[in-house]
Amino acid sequence: AAASGAGASTPAAADAPAAALTIPGAFICPITQELMEDPVCAVDGTTYERQAIAQWFNDHDTSPLTGAQLDSDMLIPIHALAARSKIFGKSTASRWGGEQQADRSRRD
């Protein structure tokens, strides 16, 4: 179930900082559902974590999202997104004492 931003002002949310954190969807790999550190764009136009899509391409020649046949397994680095994702991850770690991982906020 998706977390609502409205719950962030409740006392319970204050006691559970990860539950109040919302990670922008552009920073999330559709394969791993985690914060991307090395985002790349595949020929399907979707951005993935490099390691996850490379592993996918070891066994598939299709898009992991649509199942459509892909003409190439070429990956293009998305440096601007990588920089923003890194800044987001660092600000999240410092905000929560460095112990909470940002990807855990989307679970439950």
Side-chain angles (χ1 to χ4, degrees):
S4 168
S9 63
T10 66
D15 292 335
L21 180 64
T22 301
I23 299 173
F27 295 172
I28 304 299
C29 174
I31 297 173
T32 65
Q33 295 298 303
E34 294 181 359
L35 184 67
M36 291 185 282
E37 294 180 11
D38 187 9
V40 293
C41 185
V43 296
D44 67 354
T46 303
T47 303
Y48 302 95
E49 174 64 32
R50 180 185 300 275
Q51 184 177 359
I53 191 65
Q55 184 175 352
W56 174 267
F57 283 150
N58 284 336
D59 299 317
H60 306 86
D61 59 358
T62 58
S63 166
L65 293 183
T66 66
Q69 184 82 26
L70 299 179
D71 296 330
S72 171
D73 62 358
M74 180 176 71
L75 301 172
I76 301 169
I78 310 297
H79 299 295
L81 182 59
R84 288 186 196 113
S85 180
K86 181 180 270 187
I87 290 168
F88 179 83
K90 284 182 180 181
S91 70
T92 300
S94 66
R95 185 181 318 166
W96 305 121
E99 296 178 16
Q100 295 290 334
Q101 289 188 12
D103 64 294
R104 293 182 185 181
S105 67
R106 289 172 280 94
R107 298 179 185 158
D108 302 329

